[in-house]
Amino acid sequence: MAPWDSTERAAMVALLRCTPLEKAQHDLVQRITEEGSALALLDERLGPSNLFGDPV
């Protein structure tokens, strides 16, 4: 796993702030650890970043 930059750290903070329960936060951290990127998970949860983004 590559070292995290400030974008990855910001995505992790955003995900944790949107996850109210401690158990859900634990599951979130586990999933990020398995996938290797908080930013990818945040993108997945938010959907396309623009109106014409690929929904698939």
Side-chain angles (χ1 to χ4, degrees):
M1 179 156 89
W4 282 25
D5 61 359
S6 59
T7 307
E8 283 289 334
R9 284 190 288 276
M12 178 69 157
V13 170
L15 286 166
L16 287 172
R17 290 185 59 123
C18 294
T19 308
L21 302 175
E22 186 175 337
K23 170 72 170 125
Q25 288 178 349
H26 179 271
D27 294 342
L28 174 71
V29 171
Q30 183 177 359
R31 185 163 175 208
I32 291 169
T33 303
E34 290 169 358
E35 292 187 15
S37 174
L39 189 57
L41 183 57
L42 183 63
D43 286 342
E44 177 184 310
R45 287 194 177 189
L46 294 177
S49 62
N50 61 37
L51 184 60
F52 303 106
D54 185 13
V56 176

